[in-house]
Amino acid sequence: MAVTCVVGANWGDEGKGKMVDYLAEKSDVVIRFQGGSNAGHTVINQYGKFALHLLPSGVFYPDVVNILGPGVALDMGELIRELDDLKKRGVPEPKVMVSERTQVMLPWHKLFDTYEEERLGARQFGSTRSGIAPFYSDKYAKVGVQAGELFDKEALRDRLGPIVEAKNVLLEHLYHKPTMNLDEVVDRLYEDGMKIRHLIADTSSFLHDAVKKGKNILLEGQLGALRDPDHGIYPFSTSSSTLAGFATVGAGLPPWAITEVIAVVKAYSSAVGAGPFVTELQGEAAHELRERGGDAGEYGAKTGRPRRVGWFDAVATRYGCRMQGATTIALTLLDVLGYLDKIPVCTAYEIDGKQTTEFPLTGTLDRAKPVLEELPGWKQAISHIRTFDQLPKQAKDYVAFVEEQTGVRVGWISVGPRREQTIMRNR
Ligand code: GDP
């Protein structure tokens, strides 16, 4: 049995979707354990190019069971849309299960996300406005709704009555926007619930059995370590834990079950939204890296917003791998750096005249300047290469640099966005 967790070591967009799609071939179950439809995992395979926001990246294998665990923010409309899109594009119907304990996005979550960013104006967080922060606030304030609760309309109305009343006060008096009607809210949730009723199940019993039978299970994280609410760049973080340590909670597995934590590390840096970003590039250098990055430039899979880009940050990545408890690294987007004569990398921060290799608190990060070194570039395309030995020496040295800086072995190297553009290193 293997229970493998695939998580981001950076700010997200490290190519986790590609790695999960690649690893899912040998898996029985793929589980999303946190986050919602606020980010996108790009997967490119024989069916085309997909930006999955909510569905686990195992949906392209008809035998894999794909689970949305209780830790996920379930946008029912988005789930229905993504399933329809797969069908329209010729993907065989995937096996999907939604935990009866997964909470659903309520109609005001997206509204509040948008209105709050509007209210904050210049001080906004750069939210994708998918309702994630209001969703998790409500969940932990115990005014959320679990998927399994959607089918008793009377009980739903009883529960939602005082909640809608309180939300309407905010809509009217804080945001000066139209209020909601309780009956309409209940009808809409019930109708959406009925559309996905066949997917809702007791997934923790299913997983308990899967572990007992020694099945191969993949846990798919969203965003990255530096967006974790406790250990990331708070408050420019997301609202659910992005760490492997949370994966068993958000999925419903025992904590001892995880056998491998693969931290996906990007060969350079990128980030979406606001917040400190020490190695960020500006001007022409940023433009060039952004246009050459990803599979068609570094633009958000969810929003299409240009991503902020910068050089590899060993301070942030070492910290990210440590907080993830990484046992192996999958180093992605290495091919992108093939245009550079010399590749700048950040090995320390200078803060108030002193150098440090420890990742500090958000407020201090604002004052950090990157200490850069240069590694020799390989100046050639490597996307066709399938074995480590065939990589140019400078690319192998770059891999060795990442290992030395993080103290974690690089087990996979991704040299292109497609499933097959992956090098697995022998142990
Ligand atoms: P995720 O959220 O971590 O799954 O990452 P995204 O899908 O948001 O962003 C990663 C981007 O890089 C996508 O456009 C992928 O298609 C692309 N990608 C993934 N791995 C590689 C790689 O090794 N090389 C190149 N050139 N692109 C890659």
Side-chain angles (χ1 to χ4, degrees), residues 135-210:
F135 169 90
Y136 283 106
S137 316
D138 278 357
K139 172 172 173 171
Y140 291 106
K142 299 175 287 188
V143 289
V145 174
Q146 295 184 323
E149 284 184 287
L150 292 171
F151 308 106
D152 179 342
K153 247 183 157 176
E154 277 320 301
L156 193 59
R157 188 191 314 271
D158 276 355
R159 232 173 103 51
L160 287 174
I163 304 174
V164 169
E165 195 180 12
K167 299 297 176 191
N168 276 342
V169 173
L170 291 174
L171 282 172
E172 189 176 346
H173 298 289
L174 180 63
Y175 298 121
H176 310 294
K177 300 284 182 185
T179 56
M180 296 172 299
N181 173 285
L182 176 62
D183 288 334
E184 281 171 22
V185 169
V186 172
D187 286 348
R188 182 167 148 197
L189 284 171
Y190 180 81
E191 275 164 31
D192 282 352
M194 290 307 280
K195 289 186 196 148
I196 61 159
R197 191 171 195 172
H198 59 292
L199 307 177
I200 296 175
D202 173 3
T203 55
S204 53
S205 299
F206 174 85
L207 287 174
H208 178 79
D209 266 8

Side-chain angles (χ1 to χ4, degrees), residues 320-332:
C321 286
R322 184 200 293 167
M323 297 326 297
Q324 290 293 13
T327 57
T328 318
I329 284 175
L331 182 64
T332 54

